[in-house]
Coordinates of all heavy atoms in Angstrom, one line a residue:
T461 N 18.6 181.8 61.7 CA 19.5 182.9 61.9 C 19.8 183.5 60.6 O 19.8 182.9 59.5 CB 20.9 182.3 62.5 OG1 21.4 181.4 61.5 CG2 20.7 181.6 63.8
F462 N 20.0 184.8 60.6 CA 20.3 185.6 59.4 C 21.6 186.3 59.6 O 21.8 187.1 60.6 CB 19.2 186.7 59.2 CG 17.8 186.2 58.9 CD1 17.0 185.8 59.9 CD2 17.4 186.1 57.6 CE1 15.7 185.3 59.6 CE2 16.1 185.6 57.3 CZ 15.3 185.2 58.3
S463 N 22.5 186.0 58.7 CA 23.9 186.7 58.7 C 23.9 187.6 57.6 O 23.7 187.2 56.4 CB 25.0 185.6 58.6 OG 24.9 184.7 59.7
D464 N 24.3 188.9 57.9 CA 24.4 189.9 56.8 C 25.6 189.7 55.9 O 26.7 189.7 56.4 CB 24.4 191.3 57.4 CG 24.2 192.4 56.4 OD1 24.3 192.1 55.2 OD2 23.9 193.5 56.8
I465 N 25.4 189.3 54.7 CA 26.4 189.1 53.7 C 26.4 190.2 52.6 O 27.0 190.0 51.5 CB 26.4 187.7 53.1 CG1 25.0 187.5 52.4 CG2 26.6 186.6 54.1 CD1 25.0 186.2 51.6
S466 N 25.8 191.3 52.9 CA 25.7 192.4 51.9 C 27.1 192.9 51.5 O 27.3 193.1 50.3 CB 24.9 193.6 52.5 OG 23.6 193.1 52.8
E467 N 27.9 193.1 52.5 CA 29.3 193.6 52.2 C 30.0 192.5 51.4 O 30.8 192.8 50.4 CB 30.0 193.9 53.5 CG 31.4 194.6 53.3 CD 32.0 195.0 54.6 OE1 31.3 195.1 55.6 OE2 33.3 195.2 54.6
Q468 N 29.9 191.3 51.8 CA 30.5 190.2 51.1 C 30.1 190.1 49.6 O 30.9 189.9 48.7 CB 30.2 188.8 51.8 CG 30.8 187.6 51.1 CD 30.4 186.3 51.9 OE1 30.2 186.3 53.1 NE2 30.3 185.2 51.1
K469 N 28.7 190.2 49.5 CA 28.2 190.2 48.1 C 28.7 191.4 47.3 O 28.9 191.2 46.1 CB 26.7 190.2 48.2 CG 26.1 188.9 48.8 CD 26.2 187.7 47.9 CE 25.3 187.8 46.7 NZ 25.4 186.5 45.9
S470 N 28.8 192.5 47.9 CA 29.3 193.7 47.3 C 30.7 193.5 46.8 O 31.1 193.9 45.7 CB 29.2 194.9 48.2 OG 29.7 196.1 47.6
R471 N 31.6 192.9 47.7 CA 32.9 192.7 47.3 C 33.0 191.6 46.2 O 33.8 191.7 45.3 CB 33.7 192.2 48.5 CG 34.0 193.2 49.6 CD 35.1 192.8 50.5 NE 34.8 191.5 51.2 CZ 34.2 191.5 52.4 NH1 33.9 192.6 53.0 NH2 34.0 190.3 52.9
Q472 N 32.1 190.6 46.3 CA 32.1 189.6 45.2 C 31.7 190.2 43.9 O 32.3 189.9 42.9 CB 31.1 188.5 45.6 CG 31.0 187.4 44.6 CD 29.9 186.4 45.0 OE1 29.5 186.3 46.1 NE2 29.5 185.6 44.0
K473 N 30.8 191.2 43.9 CA 30.3 191.8 42.7 C 31.5 192.7 42.2 O 31.7 192.8 41.0 CB 29.1 192.7 43.0 CG 28.5 193.3 41.8 CD 27.2 194.0 42.1 CE 26.5 194.6 40.8 NZ 25.3 195.3 41.1
E474 N 32.2 193.4 43.1 CA 33.3 194.2 42.7 C 34.4 193.3 42.1 O 35.0 193.7 41.1 CB 33.9 194.9 43.9 CG 33.0 196.1 44.4 CD 33.5 196.7 45.7 OE1 34.6 196.2 46.1 OE2 32.9 197.6 46.2
M475 N 34.7 192.2 42.6 CA 35.7 191.3 42.1 C 35.3 190.7 40.7 O 36.1 190.7 39.8 CB 35.9 190.1 43.0 CG 36.6 190.5 44.3 SD 36.7 189.1 45.5 CE 37.7 187.9 44.6
E476 N 34.0 190.4 40.6 CA 33.5 190.0 39.3 C 33.6 191.1 38.3 O 33.9 190.9 37.1 CB 32.0 189.5 39.4 CG 31.9 188.2 40.2 CD 30.4 187.8 40.5 OE1 29.6 188.7 40.1 OE2 30.2 186.7 41.0
N477 N 33.2 192.3 38.7 CA 33.3 193.4 37.8 C 34.7 193.7 37.4 O 35.0 194.0 36.2 CB 32.7 194.7 38.5 CG 32.7 195.9 37.6 OD1 31.9 196.0 36.7 ND2 33.5 196.9 37.9
A478 N 35.7 193.6 38.4 CA 37.1 193.8 38.1 C 37.6 192.8 37.1 O 38.5 193.1 36.3 CB 37.9 193.8 39.4
A479 N 37.1 191.6 37.2 CA 37.6 190.5 36.3 C 37.1 190.7 34.9 O 37.7 190.2 34.0 CB 37.1 189.2 36.8
L480 N 36.1 191.5 34.7 CA 35.5 191.7 33.4 C 35.6 193.2 32.9 O 35.1 193.5 31.8 CB 34.0 191.3 33.4 CG 33.8 189.8 33.7 CD1 32.2 189.6 33.8 CD2 34.3 189.0 32.6
H481 N 36.3 194.0 33.7 CA 36.4 195.4 33.3 C 37.8 195.9 33.4 O 38.6 195.4 34.3 CB 35.4 196.3 34.1 CG 34.0 196.1 33.8 ND1 33.3 195.0 34.3 CD2 33.1 196.8 33.1 CE1 32.0 195.1 33.9 NE2 31.9 196.2 33.1
D482 N 38.1 196.9 32.6 CA 39.5 197.5 32.7 C 39.6 198.4 33.9 O 38.7 199.2 34.2 CB 39.7 198.4 31.4 CG 41.0 199.1 31.4 OD1 42.0 198.5 31.5 OD2 40.9 200.4 31.3
I483 N 40.6 198.2 34.7 CA 40.8 198.9 36.0 C 40.9 200.4 35.8 O 40.3 201.2 36.5 CB 42.0 198.4 36.7 CG1 41.8 196.9 37.1 CG2 42.3 199.2 38.0 CD1 43.0 196.3 37.8
L484 N 41.6 200.8 34.7 CA 41.9 202.3 34.5 C 40.7 203.0 34.1 O 40.3 204.1 34.6 CB 43.0 202.4 33.5 CG 43.4 203.9 33.2 CD1 43.9 204.6 34.4 CD2 44.4 203.9 32.0
T485 N 39.9 202.5 33.1 CA 38.8 203.2 32.5 C 37.5 202.7 32.9 O 36.5 203.5 32.7 CB 38.9 203.1 31.0 OG1 38.7 201.7 30.6 CG2 40.3 203.5 30.4
G486 N 37.4 201.5 33.5 CA 36.1 201.0 33.9 C 35.3 200.4 32.7 O 34.2 199.9 32.9
L487 N 35.9 200.4 31.5 CA 35.2 199.8 30.3 C 35.3 198.3 30.4 O 36.2 197.7 31.0 CB 35.9 200.3 29.0 CG 35.8 201.8 28.7 CD1 36.6 202.1 27.5 CD2 34.3 202.2 28.6
P488 N 34.5 197.6 29.6 CA 34.6 196.1 29.5 C 36.0 195.8 29.0 O 36.5 196.5 28.1 CB 33.5 195.8 28.5 CG 32.5 196.8 28.7 CD 33.2 198.1 29.0
N489 N 36.6 194.7 29.5 CA 37.9 194.3 29.0 C 37.7 193.3 27.9 O 36.6 193.1 27.4 CB 38.8 193.7 30.2 CG 38.1 192.5 30.8 OD1 37.2 191.9 30.3 ND2 38.6 192.2 32.0
R490 N 38.8 192.7 27.4 CA 38.8 191.8 26.3 C 37.9 190.6 26.5 O 37.1 190.2 25.7 CB 40.2 191.3 25.9 CG 40.2 190.4 24.7 CD 41.6 189.9 24.4 NE 42.5 191.0 23.9 CZ 42.6 191.3 22.6 NH1 41.9 190.6 21.7 NH2 43.4 192.2 22.2
A491 N 37.9 190.1 27.8 CA 37.1 188.9 28.1 C 35.6 189.2 28.0 O 34.8 188.5 27.4 CB 37.4 188.4 29.5
L492 N 35.1 190.4 28.6 CA 33.7 190.7 28.5 C 33.3 191.1 27.1 O 32.2 190.8 26.6 CB 33.4 191.9 29.5 CG 32.0 192.3 29.5 CD1 31.0 191.2 29.8 CD2 31.8 193.5 30.6
L493 N 34.2 191.8 26.4 CA 33.9 192.2 25.0 C 33.8 191.0 24.1 O 32.8 190.9 23.3 CB 35.1 193.1 24.4 CG 34.9 193.6 23.0 CD1 33.8 194.7 23.0 CD2 36.2 194.1 22.5
T494 N 34.6 190.0 24.3 CA 34.5 188.7 23.5 C 33.2 188.0 23.8 O 32.6 187.5 22.9 CB 35.7 187.8 23.8 OG1 36.9 188.5 23.5 CG2 35.6 186.5 23.0
S495 N 32.8 188.0 25.1 CA 31.6 187.4 25.5 C 30.4 188.0 24.8 O 29.5 187.4 24.3 CB 31.4 187.4 27.0 OG 30.2 186.9 27.4
R496 N 30.4 189.4 24.8 CA 29.3 190.1 24.1 C 29.3 189.9 22.6 O 28.2 189.8 22.0 CB 29.3 191.6 24.5 CG 29.0 191.8 26.0 CD 29.0 193.3 26.3 NE 28.7 193.4 27.8 CZ 28.7 194.6 28.4 NH1 28.9 195.7 27.7 NH2 28.4 194.7 29.7
L497 N 30.5 189.8 22.1 CA 30.6 189.5 20.6 C 29.9 188.2 20.3 O 29.2 188.1 19.3 CB 32.1 189.5 20.2 CG 32.6 190.7 19.5 CD1 34.1 190.6 19.2 CD2 31.8 191.0 18.2
E498 N 30.2 187.2 21.2 CA 29.6 185.9 20.9 C 28.1 185.9 21.0 O 27.4 185.3 20.3 CB 30.1 184.9 22.0 CG 31.6 184.5 21.8 CD 31.9 183.9 20.4 OE1 31.0 183.2 19.9 OE2 33.0 184.1 19.9
Q499 N 27.5 186.8 21.9 CA 26.1 186.9 22.0 C 25.5 187.5 20.7 O 24.5 187.1 20.2 CB 25.7 187.8 23.2 CG 26.0 187.2 24.6 CD 25.7 188.2 25.7 OE1 25.0 189.2 25.5 NE2 26.3 187.9 26.9
H500 N 26.2 188.6 20.2 CA 25.8 189.2 19.0 C 25.8 188.2 17.8 O 25.0 188.2 16.9 CB 26.6 190.4 18.6 CG 26.3 191.6 19.5 ND1 25.1 192.2 19.6 CD2 27.1 192.3 20.4 CE1 25.2 193.2 20.4 NE2 26.4 193.3 21.0
L501 N 26.9 187.4 17.8 CA 27.0 186.3 16.7 C 25.8 185.4 16.8 O 25.2 185.0 15.8 CB 28.3 185.6 16.9 CG 29.6 186.4 16.4 CD1 30.8 185.7 16.9 CD2 29.6 186.5 14.9
N502 N 25.5 184.9 18.0 CA 24.3 184.0 18.2 C 23.0 184.6 17.8 O 22.2 184.0 17.1 CB 24.3 183.5 19.7 CG 25.4 182.7 20.1 OD1 26.0 182.0 19.2 ND2 25.7 182.7 21.4
N503 N 22.8 185.9 18.1 CA 21.6 186.6 17.7 C 21.6 186.8 16.2 O 20.5 186.7 15.6 CB 21.5 188.0 18.4 CG 21.3 187.9 19.9 OD1 20.8 186.9 20.4 ND2 21.7 188.9 20.6
S504 N 22.7 187.0 15.6 CA 22.8 187.2 14.2 C 22.4 185.9 13.5 O 21.7 185.9 12.5 CB 24.2 187.6 13.7 OG 24.2 187.8 12.3
Q505 N 22.9 184.8 14.0 CA 22.6 183.5 13.4 C 21.1 183.1 13.5 O 20.5 182.6 12.6 CB 23.4 182.4 14.0 CG 24.9 182.4 13.6 CD 25.6 181.2 14.3 OE1 25.5 181.0 15.4 NE2 26.5 180.6 13.5
R506 N 20.5 183.5 14.7 CA 19.1 183.2 14.9 C 18.1 184.1 14.2 O 17.1 183.7 13.6 CB 18.8 183.2 16.4 CG 19.4 182.0 17.2 CD 18.7 181.9 18.5 NE 18.6 183.1 19.3 CZ 19.5 183.5 20.1 NH1 20.6 182.8 20.4 NH2 19.4 184.7 20.8

Side-chain angles (χ1 to χ4, degrees):
T461 63
F462 294 84
S463 303
D464 192 343
I465 58 172
S466 300
E467 186 175 343
Q468 177 183 333
K469 293 290 286 187
S470 178
R471 287 198 302 268
Q472 180 181 342
K473 188 174 181 179
E474 290 175 0
M475 290 174 63
E476 292 173 352
N477 184 72
L480 296 174
H481 290 79
D482 176 57
I483 297 177
L484 178 64
T485 64
L487 294 177
N489 59 15
R490 182 182 287 271
L492 181 55
L493 183 72
T494 301
S495 174
R496 291 185 180 176
L497 256 178
E498 292 300 327
Q499 293 177 17
H500 287 299
L501 285 167
N502 292 334
N503 291 338
S504 181
Q505 286 183 317
R506 290 198 308 269

